[in-house]
Amino acid sequence: MSGPDTGATAALARFAAGLRYEDLPDEVVAKARALLLDFFGTALAGGRVPEVAAITELVRARGGRPEATVLGAGFAAPVTDAAYLNGCAADVLEHQDGYRFGGFHPSHALPALLAVAEATGAGLRDLTVAAVAAYEVANRIGRVLHPGATAAGWFPIAAGYGAAAGCARLLGLDAGGIVSAMGAAAFFVPAIMIESIFAGPTAKPAFAGQIARAGAEGALHARAGLTGWPQVLEHPKGLVALFHGATGDPALTAGLGEEWTILEVHQKRFAGCRHTHGAAQACVQIATEHDLDPAEIADVDVETYDVARVLVDRTVEPGGSAIPCTLSLPYVAAAALVDRDVTGAQYAPDRIVDPLVHRVAAVVRIHASDRMNALYPEYTATRVTVTTRSGERYERFVDLPAGDRRAPLTRDELVGKFLRYVAPVAGERNADRAAGLLLDPPADAAVADLLALLTPELPGSPAASPPPGEPVARPAG
């Protein structure tokens, strides 16, 4: 067993401490900026979902020192509360990023980084470097935990440790301090049962918020001089071993500074669990190309892989919450066929009760096949066959849903997604300026400059804003 200064935790901490903006490859900087753009858009949209608005009011009522902005809510909160609330908001619509080799969402770290960056007066370049550090640490932990943790029923909680590393860096801690931040985060990072997520309870966004809060707490405790377990990852009774990974797996530290895992992070074209995206894309293409009347649909056959069948073959009832809808392949496929898109708008209160969407969802049949299983996880492949009442059949196969590194979203698509979510809160002019600041920031741009642009134009609570995803003048694509 390695010592506290030579193990994987220490190696990751040294990497995070040594990162410099000037040394980052251009494509890594561009990717980090695009991921931050995505995060701000999804958080501002998610804050207007009723369940997140309720969580926000619960925390707002507790009060506390106004240290960091709660996006779109019109108030500031203590750093850890802001991280929690923005984490809940960015997760609720399932329109966040993901890392398929780790089975988790590395952007769960970003709310913590944002809160600490604002509280410390950091610049956008500082936030960008911290984001790269957090993603590289989290992704390496995630790819060692997955698929063992996932198969055992645990959600890979790697983002909490990446958040701790990134926050500690923003707080000016050295490699030893980052080790303590990651070790201390272990006392705050939740153990999340995967089924508790996919069952779709309305408190589900709290798990993402708590992961973000944990990273901030770990870093703040380390800054206060408290120590964390320096072998939290690699110890025989540490995180990796307990979550069914191999403690000696070289993937935990391999390629630091040479292999940039952040480049493999996907950004979602559709709102909803990534395992629904092959079906969503196929359904949008079928409905659009054949001008399909959804009222004439008699059957929707979805051939996919076992992981998708197990996780997202779930029915939802009209009049419930948007949260289980985002995790239901039948609902997502039906929304794609009826509306020819799946964004936050498809989870608005008036859409989740639409009788036509639910009638189509009721005829969606899902089955896994050997040929789709053979392609997974290299490809999240899905074949959809739609049969109409008159007997016409339309089929579409999707092996790489949009947003994968091998099928990336264009800059226009990413900006369009951002504007559609941000303009209803901050106004079109400010949304445009914020997108420019995130993607092409001046060297001296501060996090505070960006947040000033994202201040809500509308007064009152988060629920006072228009439904998430309401179209504005500049649609995606």
Side-chain angles (χ1 to χ4, degrees):
M1 184 176 66
S2 60
D5 297 325
T6 60
T9 306
L12 292 171
R14 286 193 298 271
F15 166 77
L19 275 184
R20 297 292 179 268
Y21 182 87
E22 296 76 14
D23 299 330
L24 294 176
D26 290 345
E27 65 175 338
V28 171
V29 172
K31 181 68 174 183
R33 291 171 176 174
L35 293 168
L36 285 165
L37 180 86
D38 234 15
F39 158 69
F40 280 101
T42 56
L44 282 163
R48 304 194 300 282
V49 173
E51 290 81 0
V52 174
I55 293 172
T56 299
E57 292 305 317
L58 178 68
V59 175
R60 187 208 299 257
R62 297 172 183 166
R65 185 181 301 171
E67 298 171 323
T69 299
V70 179
L71 293 170
F75 74 101
V79 163
T80 54
D81 281 349
Y84 172 72
L85 292 176
N86 291 332
C88 293
D91 178 79
V92 66
L93 291 172
E94 286 288 330
H95 216 170
Q96 74 288 66
D97 65 28
Y99 182 57
R100 65 189 175 93
F101 299 109
F104 77 110
H105 307 292
S107 58
H108 283 165
L110 294 181
L113 305 187
L114 173 63
V116 171
E118 180 184 6
T120 57
L124 284 176
R125 283 194 172 187
D126 300 320
L127 179 59
T128 300
V129 178
V132 174
Y135 274 68
E136 292 302 318
V137 169
N139 288 349
R140 282 173 166 77
I141 297 171
R143 70 186 184 184
V144 172
L145 299 184
H146 183 72
T150 310
W154 298 107
F155 181 83
I157 48 176
Y161 296 91
C167 287
R169 181 190 166 86
L170 285 165
L171 291 170
L173 303 186
D174 61 11
I178 295 176
V179 167
S180 275
M182 293 172 65
F187 296 110
F188 300 95
V189 176
I192 303 296
M193 297 166 283
I194 286 179
E195 186 58 23
S196 73
I197 296 172
F198 283 89
T202 54
K204 173 254 183 184
F207 97 94
Q210 185 59 24
I211 286 173
R213 182 198 291 275
E217 288 281 15
L220 290 169
H221 279 66
R223 186 181 66 170
L226 297 163
T227 59
W229 188 17
Q231 295 171 296
V232 64
L233 301 178
E234 68 271 19
H235 193 277
K237 294 184 179 180
L239 179 75
V240 172
L242 293 182
F243 277 73
H244 302 270
T247 55
D249 192 333
L252 192 54
T253 56
L256 285 169
E258 298 175 357
E259 175 202 5
W260 299 97
T261 63
I262 193 172
L263 299 175
E264 292 290 347
V265 173
H266 62 252
Q267 294 178 268
K268 294 180 178 179
R269 163 69 179 83
F270 303 105
C273 174
R274 184 65 171 175
H275 297 300
T276 70
H277 283 206
Q281 188 165 317
C283 288
V284 168
Q285 290 171 350
I286 289 171
T288 303
E289 292 175 13
H290 300 284
D291 196 21
L292 195 63
D293 180 356
E296 294 301 310
I297 294 173
D299 181 75
V300 181
D301 180 81
V302 178
E303 177 189 0
T304 189
Y305 47 95
D306 274 322
V307 171
R309 179 189 60 79
V310 170
L311 292 180
V312 293
D313 184 4
R314 298 173 188 267
T315 58
V316 294
E317 299 297 326
S321 162
I323 290 170
C325 294
T326 67
L327 304 168
S328 164
L329 194 154
Y331 181 88
V332 170
L337 287 165
V338 174
D339 293 347
R340 303 181 185 183
D341 203 356
V342 187
T343 71
Q346 278 60 55
Y347 303 109
D350 64 323
R351 298 307 296 138
I352 63 174
V353 298
D354 185 278
L356 180 56
V357 172
H358 286 278
R359 191 198 70 74
V360 175
V363 300
V364 174
R365 296 179 296 108
I366 301 166
H367 61 98
S369 69
D370 290 342
R371 58 182 172 177
M372 298 302 171
N373 284 330
L375 293 171
Y376 183 79
E378 188 67 19
Y379 298 93
T380 50
T382 305
R383 186 184 307 277
V384 173
T385 305
V386 177
T387 304
T388 67
R389 290 176 176 176
S390 62
E392 296 170 303
R393 287 167 56 89
Y394 305 104
E395 183 179 298
R396 182 53 62 98
F397 172 72
V398 173
D399 57 355
L400 286 176
D404 187 280
R405 185 183 185 182
R406 297 160 292 177
L409 300 182
T410 66
R411 180 181 173 116
D412 284 349
E413 286 173 326
L414 287 169
V415 171
K417 175 182 172 182
F418 175 84
L419 295 178
R420 190 163 52 209
Y421 282 154
V422 175
V425 178
E428 291 184 39
R429 180 171 178 271
N430 277 1
D432 269 323
R433 292 173 62 195
L437 195 58
L438 280 163
L439 294 177
D440 300 296
D444 60 349
V447 170
D449 299 331
L450 174 66
L451 293 172
L453 294 173
L454 300 178
T455 301
E457 285 195 339
L458 299 172
S461 69
S465 298
E470 182 175 343
V472 294
R474 198 174 289 94

